[in-house]
Amino acid sequence: MVESDTYDVAVVGGGPTGLMASLVLAEVLAGQDRKLALIAPSGLADDRRTTALLMPSVEMLVNLNLWDEIVPETAALKIMRLIDGSKRLIRAPLTDFKASEIGLDAFGYNVPNMTLNRHLEAAIEANSQIDRYETVVSDVDHGFDSMTLHLSDECDGRDSVSARLAVAADGRDSTMRAHAGIETRRWSYPQTAIVLTFRHTSPHGGVSAEFHTETGPFTQVPLPSTPDAPYRSSLVWVVRPDESDDILNRDAASLSAEVEQKMGSSFGKVSIDSSPQAFPLSGLTARSFAAKRTVLVGEAAHVFPPIGAQGLNLGWRDVRALADLVGQHLKRRSDTGSNPLLSSYHRARLADVNLRTTAVDLLNRSLLTDFLPVQAARALGLTAVSGLAPLRQFMMRQGLGERPFERRATRRERDPVE
């Protein structure tokens, strides 16, 4: 236990963003001989989804010395291919984004969530800088120079933890966000995402193909080979909610045939090898990313559809920005939960989150509309990207997380913390 009985940082939430936040911030605090609390139950959920980790996220795993253990269970993403799979009057051209165009071997790597979480959990367990409380927060008391996090279950003889800064990584229904009084803007989509994995007889060659359909994206992402299945991919299939039950209840043979037909047999014969799971699509953005000694990361701060591999990667960029600020702050003062740090974090994340949320929302809604001017604008935009190498390279760098420009924030947005 820390000598002062008060942690400088407590991370609340045990998903991949919470685990990454704990590992990265523990390294920052180690330089100051300080420890971190992680409040989250351990144990891996049955999550059969996969995550496309872009190179900035891969670099975070490299810096933690975890990547060499994870990479054998991943597949490189060398080409992002957009295909208009609709039957509409105005259709966009096939567009390939190649990592080699911007000097990379790959945009990133696709990794099963179970694999990623297993390695992050093992690193947490081995890290002596992290005190793990395997429970959840039931209530919060905000004090002048710290906050008290009350635990649902007693851990190590304690029913509460004191911390100067709480990192809310407890998901879209974040209790920590609610205790901090941070409001959200929420919206829903008339869509459900079906996720599954499948085998195919032709190699994927590092290609991830996103077919744009009238109900949303139909996205194939490469998976690593196994001894009995040399060619495998994961699928995120966005459909109308009334279609999802039919897909979930369909037999493997007919489902395999439909997936193959939707991809135009571009990966050969398809054989489904996992039971499909369904996830309703919605969106959320926090009105502020920090308040009352609490900062929001990951889905506690932002949620949007699975388009362009932005979700988890954006959450890990939250973590990286926070770690930089905490490191800078500790050199000047000891209170990691002070208003200057909270305001700095909000400003640091505002433009990036707004840009990604708006771009993904507009693209997704453009797929659903039958309004011809919107279809034409989308087709013209993709035609320009396909034909102009500088524009295509700009879009690829943007997708990886670069921000060559930011809009100027309003005074209220710049300083939301009273």
Side-chain angles (χ1 to χ4, degrees), residues 73-321:
E73 300 179 68
T74 70
L77 306 176
K78 299 179 180 180
I79 298 174
M80 302 292 195
R81 177 168 293 161
L82 301 186
I83 303 167
D84 193 330
S86 72
K87 297 181 175 63
R88 288 173 171 151
L89 178 64
I90 302 175
R91 301 176 65 195
L94 183 149
T95 304
D96 273 352
F97 297 92
K98 299 179 180 180
S100 58
E101 277 196 75
I102 54 174
L104 298 176
D105 293 330
F107 291 112
Y109 294 79
N110 195 33
V111 54
N113 287 6
M114 289 286 287
T115 296
L116 179 61
N117 291 341
R118 184 178 74 249
H119 286 283
L120 292 174
E121 284 278 9
I124 291 287
E125 186 176 355
N127 194 315
S128 61
Q129 294 294 131
I130 300 172
D131 288 339
R132 180 76 175 261
Y133 297 87
E134 298 197 32
T135 184
V136 297
V137 173
S138 59
D139 200 4
V140 178
D141 290 328
H142 295 93
F144 175 73
D145 59 359
S146 66
M147 59 198 303
T148 301
L149 308 176
H150 297 279
L151 307 179
S152 291
D153 301 297
E154 188 174 288
C155 293
D156 296 331
R158 297 174 63 91
D159 58 9
S160 66
V161 170
S162 179
R164 294 186 177 89
L165 176 69
V167 179
D170 50 344
R172 65 185 66 198
D173 297 318
S174 170
T175 58
M176 292 300 298
R177 184 183 63 221
H179 284 301
I182 299 175
E183 297 181 350
T184 62
R185 180 174 67 92
R186 293 174 179 261
W187 61 96
S188 60
Y189 297 97
Q191 296 166 296
T192 296
I194 304 293
V195 299
L196 53 86
T197 61
F198 63 94
R199 307 179 187 192
H200 41 93
T201 56
S202 298
H204 49 61
V207 173
S208 175
E210 184 171 285
F211 296 79
H212 291 170
T213 77
E214 289 85 351
T215 62
F218 177 95
T219 308
Q220 164 271 339
V221 189
L223 281 175
S225 301
T226 63
D228 60 340
Y231 308 132
R232 301 170 60 241
S233 291
S234 61
L235 178 70
V236 180
W237 181 1
V238 178
V239 299
R240 292 189 298 269
D242 59 1
E243 296 176 312
S244 61
D245 285 344
D246 174 63
I247 294 172
L248 294 175
N249 294 323
R250 200 174 303 175
D251 64 85
S254 65
L255 189 56
S256 298
E258 182 166 358
V259 169
E260 181 181 333
Q261 182 271 327
K262 281 185 169 293
M263 293 193 299
S265 299
S266 51
F267 296 96
K269 185 172 178 57
V270 165
S271 175
I272 303 297
D273 66 359
S274 75
S275 300
Q277 293 177 303
F279 301 88
L281 296 190
S282 61
L284 173 153
T285 303
R287 299 288 185 181
S288 172
F289 302 130
K292 294 185 178 179
R293 295 187 171 273
T294 303
V295 296
L296 310 182
V297 298
E299 290 196 342
H302 41 74
V303 176
F304 44 73
I307 296 176
Q310 293 299 311
L312 182 62
N313 292 286
L314 187 62
W316 282 17
R317 289 206 296 277
D318 296 339
V319 170
R320 191 169 65 241

Side-chain angles (χ1 to χ4, degrees), residues 3 13 17 33 36 43 63 96 121 126 145 147 177 197 201 249 253 255 292 301 306 308 332 348 354 385 388 391 402:
E3 291 184 3
T17 300
D33 196 26
L36 172 145
N63 292 338
D96 273 352
E121 284 278 9
D145 59 359
M147 59 198 303
R177 184 183 63 221
T197 61
T201 56
N249 294 323
L255 189 56
K292 294 185 178 179
R332 300 192 301 268
N354 283 349
V385 170
L388 297 173
L391 179 58
E402 294 185 12

